[in-house]
Amino acid sequence: MRSSDLSSSYFALFNMPVSFDIDRKILTERYRTLQRTVHPDRFANAAESERRLSVQMAARINEGFQTLKDPLARGRYLLELRGIELNDLDTAFDGAFLMEQMELRERLGAVKECDDPHQQLQKIARDIDVRIKEITAELAILFTENNDASFEKARDLTRKMQFFRKLEQEADALDDDLDVY
Amino acid sequence: MALLQISEPGQAAAPHQRKLAAGIDLGTTNSLVATVRSGKAETLPDVDGNHLLPSVVRYRKGEVPQVGTVARQSSIGDPRNTIVSVKRYLGRGLADICKQCTCKEYDFVDSEASVPRIRTLGGDVTPVEISAEILKVLKQRAENSLGGELTGVVVTVPAYFDDAQRQATKDSAQLAGLNVLRLLNEPTAAAVAYGLDRGSEGIHVVYDLGGGTFDISILHLNRGVFEVMATAGNTALGGDDIDHAIGEWMYEQAGMKQAVSDSQSRASLAEAWRAKEPLSDEEVVAISIPCPDGDCWEGELTRSQLYEIIDPLIIQTLSPCKRALRDAGVDVSEIEDVVMVGGSTRSPRVRELVGEFFQCDPMVDIDPDKVVAVGAAIQADILVGNKPDEEMLLLDVIPLSLGIETMGGLVEKIISRNTTIPSAKAQDFTTFKDGQTALAVHVLQGERELVSDCRSLARFELRGIPPMMAGAAQIRVTFQVDADGLLSVTAREQISGVESTVQVKPSFGLSDTEIATMLRDSMDHAQEDVAARTLREQQVEADRILESVEAAVETDGRLLEKNEQELIEAAVKMLHEVRGGDDPRRIKLAIEELNKASTDFAARRMDASIQMAMTGHKVDEFS
């Protein structure tokens, strides 16, 4: 397959096996090598057609790197390659997960009233991070099982990870607010 | 075909083939130009030996504008016609400028036009034109000093500049007759100047407090690759604010609310500027400012009083630092060092507080005023092609998220802040009414959820959508940000193929026609021929593509298909023929023809080079 083919998979682009477990070091090395080859700075004096192509390729390599580097994006992408889409409107979750989300939300909501809001916020952020790491480890196992049932479970977990990621972003936004006021 | 060049690997082409390139730091307070000569990057002085060109332009009736020191000297006597710190107005609307409380300094023309104009004795001028005057002087300085025409320049911008500000900067350079190879973020330029990449792998911070802007960048450096991890800042906070704060304090001490006249205000700023420096070594300094009655108020300013005035401003810079660290996912303890950039970082108090925050001694080896221009010159030298074997690569990010307006005045982010550029992302939208045939696209930049809290970049319409049921149309909006951080947006209805593309011309930017008019006006001024310039531009472009395609055919001819080779050769021949003529339109057409003929070839070459890089890489990894 042609590398400049914009429909080839990111795994093919980075010449890496299609897998959730990924060697970050090799990925980063290849990313740099690819950018060294296609980045627009390498084509500052080239013909217009080449410059345009270089911008497109560099953008694709950046997108691919972001996708493969991040466990959530990587999980989504692997599911997408299997034809499994995550529906953002789908909010059916098990009770334990919903309780946990509610509790974290309540803790976030109460941060501003705490004696040391920064410290409290850090604690919540750490708790969220622990959960994301746990899910990442579980996903690694599920994706190697490679059957319909495991993909269904992986889809469920990826959706959950998405919610934790949203909480993480809300915590960051709150941190900004604390600085302003 | 080009002659075969033989040169040692790592060595530049013969000296006479070196192309002339320069790096330009278009600063709020001062501007500089630098170039690489005999392997060394250095800033270029004017005939009097001054490297810094004050970013001040004075307009007079029927005369060429004055730029630099002469203009600055007249700033107190002729404040309304002498524009200082114009960078603060680049890419801004009048409402933004008034929010900064500086619109009273000049006669802003109250017009319908989105781009603010300042009324001067020399006519109504836009910030883009004023900046172009500064750039023209630097261009002239470089060309006199290097003895030839510049092939290209790298112009620096604060990393935190939004799309409108970047576009305005590029427009100024175009107006000044410069070929912009790249807009480079100032902190990245500083990191290049320090050669930070040559050290071991690590995370570095660049703290850039200029006259009018503040930027913080966190970079990861590894064997020639500069990866910006995160950037943050404030485009309306700088050393000027420190001077203003000191000036206000002086008036308070003198029993006045504020400066009464423009020249009084300029005089107090000058005094504030003068008073800061001795306080680095001394505990107290004598100050005096003019009073409305013509007398002078005399007093003193102690170091601890100075700290009381300026600390809140310095502390304001620390919250973007915190945000950048968090966005980069980096802890203070992981930071190798902090590079200080911008004249305001000369202040020992700034160094002290920043050092405390990052828990290390700030790096100040290179003159903070010159470091950005020097870095830009190094990058320009590489981009222009003088160092074909250079491994350096700069991977920058966009500073602010980009999105479009959706129902209810909300912003849907399409590319989020700190995404590495170039970047391209697409999002699908649909129609919400039966039979809807047009869709308005409103492009915004900023972090907030409400449209009213973000910066409006552009509006355009996708028309001609075939009538369908609500929700049936599939409209894909694609954002592409190039290596300069400039955005272009395409909207395409997927079923019918109706398409609309805009090179985002910011709401507060100039249209192409406006720029063309300005160019023509400035030409009249310089008695230069517009036609001659257009022809020259097309010839330069023709030479560039000819050189590039001929070199490609020479090295990768084996990748050519038979009929393709004939097409390219024919297009090359044609372009060579018309290039010598005097019709810019014919040259332009021939360029387009050659571009078209070589597109597939370019794609195949890129594939081949990717394949080669990846295989070469594998050998590396396993050896």
Side-chain angles (χ1 to χ4, degrees):
Chain A
M1 190 177 296
R2 277 167 64 164
S3 317
S4 64
D5 180 348
L6 296 179
S7 65
S8 75
S9 106
Y10 293 141
F11 291 102
L13 181 63
F14 285 81
N15 199 11
M16 303 200 64
V18 182
S19 150
F20 185 79
D21 252 332
I22 210 157
D23 187 328
R24 275 286 292 263
K25 213 172 149 234
I26 294 181
L27 178 72
T28 308
E29 279 292 312
R30 297 215 171 139
Y31 167 68
R32 289 182 185 142
T33 306
L34 283 170
Q35 282 297 12
R36 274 215 172 93
T37 315
V38 309
H39 194 275
D41 280 1
R42 291 275 178 266
F43 297 88
N45 287 298
E48 173 69 27
S49 54
E50 264 185 304
R51 278 184 287 161
R52 219 173 21 229
L53 190 65
S54 132
V55 173
Q56 280 170 1
M57 272 312 284
R60 181 164 163 75
I61 288 160
N62 279 330
E63 180 67 15
F65 183 52
Q66 291 310 318
T67 307
L68 298 189
K69 183 170 84 164
D70 171 48
L72 176 59
R74 192 165 66 234
R76 284 188 74 128
Y77 186 63
L78 276 167
L79 290 169
E80 205 180 291
L81 290 179
R82 290 282 301 197
I84 305 169
E85 293 273 338
L86 295 195
N87 185 350
D88 291 340
L89 299 173
D90 184 359
T91 49
F93 285 105
D94 55 82
F97 174 76
L98 289 175
M99 279 302 287
E100 189 187 13
Q101 285 285 314
M102 238 154 69
E103 193 196 318
L104 278 167
R105 249 167 225 292
E106 271 167 22
R107 282 174 65 194
L108 272 181
V111 157
K112 277 190 181 163
E113 279 80 55
C114 287
D115 291 340
D116 189 344
H118 280 290
Q119 203 199 356
Q120 179 64 15
L121 201 56
Q122 258 178 20
K123 235 167 95 187
I124 301 174
R126 261 202 308 273
D127 289 346
I128 298 173
D129 191 50
V130 167
R131 290 292 284 127
I132 290 179
K133 289 214 169 87
E134 282 170 8
I135 295 179
T136 307
E138 280 178 76
L139 279 175
I141 298 167
L142 286 170
F143 275 115
T144 48
E145 285 175 15
N146 206 18
N147 58 50
D148 286 350
S150 72
F151 278 120
E152 194 45 47
K153 275 190 206 149
R155 174 177 166 275
D156 195 44
L157 271 180
T158 310
R159 280 173 59 221
K160 285 181 178 167
M161 175 134 71
Q162 216 159 285
F163 272 78
F164 281 111
R165 193 53 75 72
K166 249 181 227 151
L167 277 177
E168 206 173 43
Q169 283 162 1
E170 278 167 38
D172 284 351
L174 200 58
D175 200 23
D176 278 349
D177 277 1
L178 288 179
D179 282 342
V180 177
Y181 302 110
Chain B
M1 289 291 123
L3 290 172
L4 191 66
Q5 284 179 15
I6 301 170
S7 60
E8 291 293 316
Q11 224 171 25
H16 67 275
Q17 286 172 317
R18 272 185 73 86
K19 287 176 177 159
L20 301 181
I24 293 180
D25 174 5
L26 182 62
T28 309
T29 322
N30 293 299
S31 298
L32 291 106
V33 59
T35 194
V36 176
R37 273 194 290 202
S38 321
K40 204 175 165 292
E42 54 190 8
T43 54
L44 301 172
D46 65 8
V47 283
D48 298 323
N50 299 313
H51 291 251
L52 266 59
L53 175 72
S55 303
V56 183
V57 181
R58 181 188 185 196
Y59 287 89
R60 296 167 300 169
K61 205 176 170 81
E63 281 179 81
V64 184
Q66 290 177 323
V67 180
T69 314
V70 206
R72 190 169 67 188
Q73 281 158 356
S74 63
S75 138
I76 296 175
D78 186 17
R80 309 299 277 187
N81 298 300
T82 309
I83 323 297
V84 298
S85 303
V86 66
K87 191 174 177 177
R88 290 191 156 199
Y89 308 144
L90 271 179
R92 296 272 177 203
L94 193 52
D96 289 328
I97 294 170
C98 289
K99 247 185 261 167
Q100 292 178 22
C101 294
T102 50
C103 62
K104 290 196 194 75
E105 286 176 35
Y106 307 107
D107 290 323
F108 278 96
V109 183
D110 195 14
S111 75
E112 292 296 303
S114 54
V115 181
R117 283 165 204 273
I118 298 172
R119 181 144 294 163
T120 71
L121 283 177
D124 294 351
V125 286
T126 63
V128 165
E129 289 166 289
I130 301 166
S131 302
E133 292 300 332
I134 299 167
L135 290 170
K136 276 184 212 163
V137 171
L138 294 174
K139 175 177 191 262
Q140 198 56 52
R141 186 191 286 185
E143 291 183 344
N144 289 348
S145 162
L146 299 173
E149 201 180 330
L150 287 174
T151 304
V153 294
V154 167
V155 182
T156 60
V157 288
Y160 213 55
F161 252 20
D162 65 25
D163 188 79
Q165 293 167 304
R166 282 167 200 268
Q167 189 63 57
T169 306
K170 207 169 176 179
D171 289 346
S172 309
Q174 193 195 340
L175 201 55
L178 292 163
N179 170 33
V180 181
L181 297 164
R182 177 77 67 243
L183 293 180
L184 178 63
N185 287 338
E186 287 162 9
T188 315
V192 171
Y194 269 93
L196 292 178
D197 57 315
R198 274 178 259 122
S200 56
E201 181 166 359
I203 296 165
H204 305 255
V205 169
V206 181
Y207 179 99
D208 181 355
L209 187 59
T213 55
F214 169 66
D215 259 3
I216 181 83
S217 283
I218 299 177
L219 292 95
H220 184 240
L221 304 178
N222 180 31
R223 282 180 290 159
V225 182
F226 292 68
E227 271 177 85
V228 179
M229 303 171 79
T231 184
N234 187 339
T235 47
L237 174 69
D240 289 0
D241 296 295
I242 291 182
D243 294 344
H244 275 282
I246 301 172
E248 268 165 39
W249 178 86
M250 290 192 294
Y251 276 99
E252 228 168 78
Q253 297 298 304
M256 291 177 276
K257 272 245 159 61
Q258 57 192 38
V260 182
S261 69
D262 294 323
S263 26
Q264 241 186 335
S265 151
R266 294 282 170 98
S268 75
L269 284 184
E271 181 66 0
W273 195 69
R274 190 197 61 79
K276 279 185 302 187
E277 211 167 294
L279 287 175
S280 306
D281 303 314
E282 284 156 43
E283 287 297 331
V284 61
V285 63
I287 45 171
S288 82
I289 49 164
C291 295
D293 56 15
D295 279 353
C296 271
W297 173 82
E298 315 252 341
E300 56 182 33
L301 175 64
T302 67
R303 191 190 290 171
S304 63
Q305 278 166 334
L306 175 75
Y307 286 0
E308 235 172 84
I309 302 167
I310 69 175
D311 278 7
L313 290 166
I314 303 171
I315 288 164
Q316 263 192 53
T317 66
L318 298 180
S319 99
C321 292
K322 230 182 98 183
R323 194 167 68 231
L325 281 172
R326 202 188 52 218
D327 279 0
V330 165
D331 190 74
V332 167
S333 60
E334 296 171 72
I335 308 278
E336 302 266 323
D337 42 47
V338 179
V339 171
M340 299 299 263
V341 185
S344 306
T345 60
R346 281 220 176 73
S347 154
R349 186 59 173 172
V350 172
R351 291 180 185 179
E352 191 184 333
L353 293 181
V354 172
E356 266 172 35
F357 181 84
F358 287 106
Q359 296 161 24
C360 56
D361 283 331
M363 277 170 77
V364 290
D365 310 346
I366 306 182
D367 182 341
D369 281 324
K370 292 181 179 170
V371 65
V372 166
V374 164
I378 295 171
Q379 165 83 335
D381 192 44
I382 295 170
L383 291 183
V384 88
N386 286 337
K387 290 177 116 182
D389 297 308
E390 176 59 54
E391 286 280 278
M392 188 177 96
L393 184 64
L394 311 181
L395 299 170
D396 244 311
V397 299
I398 58 159
L400 298 154
S401 303
L402 292 162
I404 70 174
E405 176 170 354
T406 59
M407 300 266 277
L410 295 178
V411 183
E412 167 115 20
K413 280 180 193 164
I414 295 189
I415 301 183
S416 44
R417 74 166 187 237
N418 289 325
T419 297
T420 309
I421 51 174
S423 174
K425 291 229 170 97
Q427 195 102 302
D428 288 338
F429 295 89
T430 188
T431 46
F432 58 93
K433 271 192 209 141
D434 285 343
Q436 187 178 342
T437 58
L439 183 89
V441 179
H442 185 195
V443 185
L444 297 133
Q445 187 159 29
E447 306 313 313
R448 309 286 292 275
E449 279 178 5
L450 290 175
V451 167
S452 50
D453 293 333
C454 285
R455 190 162 169 67
S456 167
L457 287 182
R459 288 171 190 274
F460 70 97
E461 273 195 352
L462 176 67
R463 292 179 170 280
I465 303 171
M468 282 181 254
M469 296 275 286
Q474 282 175 35
I475 296 144
R476 175 156 296 179
V477 177
T478 307
F479 276 39
Q480 181 175 284
V481 181
D482 66 14
D484 289 334
L486 293 173
L487 171 70
S488 55
V489 183
T490 319
R492 185 187 157 89
E493 202 291 303
Q494 300 285 86
I495 300 165
S496 62
V498 172
E499 192 161 332
S500 170
T501 305
V502 282
Q503 174 74 50
V504 169
K505 272 289 174 184
S507 308
F508 301 119
L510 297 162
S511 68
D512 287 340
T513 346
E514 280 176 297
I515 291 180
T517 315
M518 284 176 187
L519 258 177
R520 217 166 29 240
D521 292 352
S522 70
M523 294 292 174
D524 292 345
H525 221 71
Q527 307 289 311
E528 213 182 314
D529 189 5
V530 191
R533 174 161 163 173
T534 320
L535 178 63
R536 179 80 197 113
E537 276 172 4
Q538 289 304 327
Q539 284 172 336
V540 168
E541 183 62 25
D543 291 347
R544 190 165 71 153
I545 183 170
L546 282 170
E547 192 182 322
S548 147
V549 171
E550 285 173 351
V553 169
E554 171 117 8
T555 46
D556 291 321
R558 67 200 152 75
L559 296 172
L560 277 169
E561 279 160 19
K562 181 91 177 56
N563 61 332
E564 187 181 36
Q565 182 162 9
E566 282 161 14
L567 277 172
I568 291 178
E569 275 168 10
V572 164
K573 194 162 160 271
M574 180 54 137
L575 185 52
H576 268 300
E577 271 170 28
V578 297
R579 189 231 172 271
D582 55 6
D583 187 350
R585 269 175 321 170
R586 286 190 66 195
I587 303 178
K588 197 169 178 214
L589 283 174
I591 289 173
E592 277 165 20
E593 213 39 58
L594 180 53
N595 258 322
K596 224 164 65 193
S598 59
T599 299
D600 284 347
F601 178 46
R604 246 174 280 126
R605 288 183 64 226
M606 192 164 286
D607 276 335
S609 57
I610 289 175
Q611 293 300 334
M612 206 165 82
M614 294 305 269
T615 31
H617 200 65
K618 256 199 246 161
V619 175
D620 264 10
E621 271 161 23
F622 297 116
S623 63

